[in-house]
Amino acid sequence: MANMNMIQALNSAMDVMIERDPKVLVFGEDAGYFGGVFRVTDGLQKKHGMTRCFDTPISEGGIVAAGIGMAVYGLRPVLEIQFVDYIFPAYDQLVSEAAKIRWRSAGGYTVPITVRTPYGGGIFGGQTHSQSPESLFTHIAGLKTVIPSTPYDAKGLLISAIEMNDPVIFLEPKRLYNGPFNGHHDQPVVPWSKHPASDVPEGYYTIPLGKAATVREGDAVTVLCYGTMVHVAVTAAEESGIDAEVIDLRTLVPLDLEAIVASVKKTGRCLVVHEAPETSGYGAELATLVQKHCFYHLEAPVERVCGYDTPYPHAFEWDYFIGPDRVAAGMRLTLER
Amino acid sequence: MANMNMIQALNSAMDVMIERDPKVLVFGEDAGYFGGVFRVTDGLQKKHGMTRCFDTPISEGGIVAAGIGMAVYGLRPVLEIQFVDYIFPAYDQLVSEAAKIRWRSAGGYTVPITVRTPYGGGIFGGQTHSQSPESLFTHIAGLKTVIPSTPYDAKGLLISAIEMNDPVIFLEPKRLYNGPFNGHHDQPVVPWSKHPASDVPEGYYTIPLGKAATVREGDAVTVLCYGTMVHVAVTAAEESGIDAEVIDLRTLVPLDLEAIVASVKKTGRCLVVHEAPETSGYGAELATLVQKHCFYHLEAPVERVCGYDTPYPHAFEWDYFIGPDRVAAGMRLTLER
Amino acid sequence: MQNLSKPRLHIPVPAARPGDTPDFSRLEIPEAGSVRRPDTASDPAEMRDLAYDLIRVLDFDHRAVGPWDPRLDPETLRRALRLMVLDRAFEERMHQAQRQGKTSFFMRGLGEEAIGIAHAMALSDEDMCFTSYRQQGLLIARGCPLIDMMNQVYNNAADKLHGLQVPLHYSFPEFGYFAMSGNLATQVPQAVGWAMAAAYSGDDRIAATFLGDGATAEGDFYTGLLFASVYRAPVIISVSNNQWAISCFAGIAGGERTTFAARGVGVGLPSLRVDGNDFLAVYAAVQWAAERARSNHGATLIEFVTYRAHGHSTSDDPTRYRPADEFAAWPLGDPLQRLKGHLVALDEWSEERHQAYEQEAKDEVRALQREAEAIGTLHTGTKPSARAMFDHVFEESDWRHRRQRQEMGI
Amino acid sequence: MQNLSKPRLHIPVPAARPGDTPDFSRLEIPEAGSVRRPDTASDPAEMRDLAYDLIRVLDFDHRAVGPWDPRLDPETLRRALRLMVLDRAFEERMHQAQRQGKTSFFMRGLGEEAIGIAHAMALSDEDMCFTSYRQQGLLIARGCPLIDMMNQVYNNAADKLHGLQVPLHYSFPEFGYFAMSGNLATQVPQAVGWAMAAAYSGDDRIAATFLGDGATAEGDFYTGLLFASVYRAPVIISVSNNQWAISCFAGIAGGERTTFAARGVGVGLPSLRVDGNDFLAVYAAVQWAAERARSNHGATLIEFVTYRAHGHSTSDDPTRYRPADEFAAWPLGDPLQRLKGHLVALDEWSEERHQAYEQEAKDEVRALQREAEAIGTLHTGTKPSARAMFDHVFEESDWRHRRQRQEMGI
Ligand SMILES: Cc1ncc(C[n+]2csc(CCOP(=O)(O)OP(=O)(O)O)c2C)c(N)n1
Ligand SMILES: Cc1ncc(C[n+]2csc(CCOP(=O)(O)OP(=O)(O)O)c2C)c(N)n1
Ligand SMILES: [Mg+2]
Ligand SMILES: [Mg+2]
């Protein structure tokens, strides 16, 4: 056991896998010598050598395409996209290629790549360093989407993703890299060291994809969330005194529907929270599944607290970013009826 | 008035606008001399000259980027993407640029482009000529998404889109180009000429974006659909004897929520139908809005009849394509409870 | 007329449209044998001229001349010729089958057969190919059973892709043939990635990838060239410049201002421009590039100048946008006839043997076709199970796929 | 050692890392004045050599020499020098302001000022510029009020972008400055589209677009070059090769095997390679390309060889990946000092006048800064209304935006 923040936990996952499996290699923009703009690949090149962790041209499409070709060869590339806001030049290679190669070859070729990329707001990054485009991946048959919320989960889920024989989009909540941000930007920053999930085994371990975690038990309302919003939601429950059950999905595809349905059948109410704009966000899929599978248990409509349907504004970081108060208000909405 | 199929109606819309407005020009792969692989731009170059309708390199990203630059200059380009399955190389220019330029310049620059592209199944096109990726656009703040279902609507909506001062994704149901396909592939093809909506004014007219059309009135269940599925849904109602109210959304963004809510409050039941894979499809947004705005009127969960969460298979066209029977079964599901 | 010097939007126009007489005067054709052959270890900066020239071995008198002559023995040449005949017979039959409604779609490489077949013969069978849809001959040359290809075209019960894919979007791992994509040029940077992986693994297999003149306009083509240059990947990037991209002549793809081989010069890659209808020139160029790649000198871009003799696909009618007799006027001729002429000139082949083999090939194809059709065609006979569409989304399908499969009752 | 000749994955490595002594021996620097200046109407195929050379006017003795000397009068040269001083003073102050927490982020063009300013001076004010983030001098040279730029950097109540955008992602239609994108290279094909529109409209304005060496790896760069070549668009595509892309040296972007100017050769565009720290050379090259574009000869690609003297941005610490004293060793020097040296050598400027103007510039910037800060900074003073985020999604916001605005209580 060691105490790690999320950056160190992710770094450790790659370090362990590069060590264990000669087929694992890591690359991306500034990911080699420098160790990444968020330092997540720090030291990997020095420790494991030039070809195990290296820099790439500024071509997200090339990073993903090269990763696909390597995966087809039989390697397990871990690709870093510097910010998910910059993943769209690679969108065609992800959607038309990585997601479909197993299928169009009837299993003859497979694409075991992991695409790591920071997402989400809370850092005054403005419209091109704050986006949460998860639903643009969950709609694509053939892609899995993972979003951790703690150092412990981050490492275990990343190792599972690397070992997965299908492409995985691994979204890293950058606002959680250094601490469990609860949405109170006006309060002093809490480091991970104070959080139990920062105790992380140094070695190999996995957390299965497709299993949600109930991070707070409660009877009043089920809150479905992931990434940074998990900590905001728990804080909202504590501060509002609403006895919410907070479920951290951890994996959006495949989805742990059972855990969701069991909880909503218990509470009878449901709130979905995410940073992405509301329209056609992943919350729409969650709300639709909940109303279908828990129809007779629902005492109020499933509510959504999501990002506004606008790009992410720079100066209005804290107007746009979802804090505990907005989440609590959403919980109350479900209770009012 | 003239009798037009959807290809002719779309062609007429561009012909009229090129004539009316020197700022309107049309381009795309094979769209110039040849008139497009579906002949939608047929004759425009011959009639209006080389620079009003021309061929482009096979670079969807370049087509959209050039269109954006022209729009910023002050023109109103109409871009053809040969199949929507090939739009992803342009996804970054659409999502990061076209959708955000007005916003990031606080209105200083605008992007009045219309991106026309055929979508949908029913033609044995396999995975790369059959997709319906509308929800990948509806999630993006700054993009409008339009899908016509008849020649009359196609022309009126396309002219509105061209005159719109914001980027519009104009998805053309290719299975409807030559006739109102009702899903019965085993029955003889019905041409548009037999359909009232094939009477189309030769001149200029518009249909406002954001207004749905109730194409069949009914009391039993509200069916929300668009494009090819409109005709399948109406057929399902006729054949099943279920008194369904079929609403053709025509525009997905902006959405005519009022019309939807009014109908569901009347019927108490709702079915959403689309060709796109179910998970994170636009049906999820529709179902979520319905359960929120009509919660106390709903007597059954909102059901979805959608494409399967797989790529589009070639040999299994009629297993994948949604026919009247699957739609009727979906209606029954909402009635059973 | 100051306006004349003002900027005007330039739209490239081909030399001839329907009704015009074909005109290939824009294409400069140097003497066969006139282009130098640098050592395979030479510096790309020292051979930029090759991107603007045209490597030819077979002259118009059927002689093989110059430094690029690969000096192949007659048996090898006969094998190449037989493969071209067989390939052509196969594509001809499948094309007819589509016309008869036995499948939905088909595409031919008529007039371009030398390219795929010469690659197969000059490369090792272990080298990995990321092709487009006009290199079916490559698969045939590698010994892929024609019946397996036919079963895929028919999507019948024996289709190894279980009916999932469009005709001729083959995938044959056992023949180093990557699952063809319908999305143009995506395979280019993937092939480069595969080659990077081979180099990473200390493997001496190389990759080859193919695309058309039109597809070179996609960003993925540049991306592939760039990554190949930066990481010195052992890969051959082959552009079939067959003059047309559906209805657009190569000028629309940027062929008006320079050659397609020049794209490689732009990123510092050695770049060759080759007569694509000259089997010997194609073979020699691929052999040269393969030797470079295998000896750690990295990637090569090769532009093959050829002509798309048939419509783009079974959905296309080329007489709408180009002169019907353009192929007849194509100065580089028919690769099959040229190789045949060479063998006959060498006295290693004859009209009689040729006709006999043509008949043999036709009969073989027809027999196999009957076999395939006995299993089924797109709309008749035994089909694969639709289950396949759910089984191959992920290694382990999730609850959605199980539910949807049940809903479909399979 | 057969393995030695086997393919190995090549990862480009810079000449020097922290701790090493800077080494620019890979950069060949020809004599100033040694490069020919072809007529602006000449055929690109006749000037490929210029993509591999380096156009220089100012020699190391501060003399302007050779055919590219634009022969500017002293007043124009003084104006350029003053603009460089002012630009540097402005960026210096805004950088400090960020350090003091008055805004979130800032970027400087230290050492590259000649490029933006020479473009502004050689182009007409009506020409449209699609820039990256290192041409703030272009805006200053076109007369954009510094206070407007500061208000944007501070996102205060007077910010014309209403706080929506990240600092220095300016948008100034009134100064022909396109809304800067955070997404690298997207502006290149857009600029080409703008130029196509100008040509389509018979307008004689041209477009100019800017990107860095690293950004040339994006497919959009190639797309822009290709469309510019195909449609002969009146546009200038300027690459600032400042040796670094955050932590990656230009070799990672494909600068190891050939020049960035060569990318233009790849698509048949005239392509120049220019000393980017030589104001006169930059001016002359832009003037040449603008004349070509305006007289319907189409686009030009220009690579400016320069050096990023500062960190990538305020979030970056360059000492982690390159020698701290690398700029000191940069053989092409400091553009400001070189132009100053030239004016002094001409006896048109002096140390005294220079210091006096530097003081003047500092004072002007400081005064304006006080003015701007009196309105507000990112976290203090008066802010724009958050309403703006809803008002500019569409021309007419839809019900979602009205509902969400109400929810926010504005
Ligand atoms: C990304 C993408 N855009 C468009 C298409 C449609 N399309 C298929 S083939 C083709 C023409 C290709 O021409 P070329 O690359 O010259 O190859 P050729 O058919 O001549 O061999 C087009 C436009 C596609 N398949 N993929
Ligand atoms: C599409 C995209 N990918 C990545 C980034 C992140 N990024 C911003 S600047 C930069 C380096 C750019 O280097 P270069 O093009 O050489 O310009 P310079 O900063 O040296 O002027 C990177 C990787 C981005 N902004 N956009
Ligand atoms: Mg072609
Ligand atoms: Mg740079």
Side-chain angles (χ1 to χ4, degrees), chain A residues 29-30 37 58-60 81-83 85-87 89 128-129, chain B residues 92, chain D residues 107-108 112 132-135 181-186 211-216 218 240-248 253 308 312:
Chain A
E29 296 159 16
D30 303 290
V37 296
I58 302 173
S59 168
E60 294 72 19
I81 299 297
Q82 202 162 75
F83 288 86
D85 313 69
Y86 304 134
I87 204 167
T128 56
H129 303 89
Chain B
D92 187 50
Chain D
M107 301 177 94
R108 296 172 66 172
E112 305 176 43
S132 89
Y133 40 80
R134 295 209 201 276
Q135 295 81 33
S181 176
N183 303 68
L184 293 172
T186 52
L211 71 161
D213 48 298
T216 63
E218 290 288 356
S240 292
N241 172 7
N242 62 8
Q243 312 306 313
W244 291 93
I246 306 184
S247 73
C248 296
R308 195 196 77 210
H312 171 70

Side-chain angles (χ1 to χ4, degrees), chain C residues 176-221:
Chain C
Y177 193 96
F178 183 63
M180 205 202 97
S181 177
N183 304 65
L184 293 171
T186 52
Q187 71 277 16
V188 179
Q190 292 167 5
V192 173
W194 191 97
M196 287 169 70
Y200 166 92
S201 310
D203 176 345
D204 63 8
R205 289 178 298 161
I206 67 175
T209 185
F210 302 77
L211 71 161
D213 48 298
T216 62
E218 290 287 356
D220 272 351
F221 171 61

Side-chain angles (χ1 to χ4, degrees), chain C residues 251-264:
Chain C
I252 294 291
E256 208 177 35
R257 302 307 211 67
T258 189
T259 67
F260 291 97
R263 304 287 189 273

Side-chain angles (χ1 to χ4, degrees), chain A residues 202-253:
Chain A
E202 270 131 314
Y204 171 96
Y205 70 95
T206 62
I207 293 175
L209 304 192
K211 287 259 153 291
T214 304
V215 295
R216 183 186 192 284
E217 303 220 333
D219 294 321
V221 50
T222 300
V223 180
L224 303 178
C225 51
Y226 43 86
T228 309
M229 288 299 122
V230 171
H231 303 274
V232 173
V234 169
T235 305
E238 306 301 341
E239 293 176 352
S240 66
I242 297 169
D243 186 24
E245 179 145 297
V246 179
I247 296 185
D248 175 356
L249 298 178
R250 300 201 294 195
T251 312
L252 307 194
V253 175

Side-chain angles (χ1 to χ4, degrees), chain B residues 229-246:
Chain B
M229 288 300 122
V230 171
H231 302 275
V232 174
V234 169
T235 305
E238 307 302 340
E239 293 176 353
S240 65
I242 298 170
D243 187 23
E245 180 146 296
V246 179

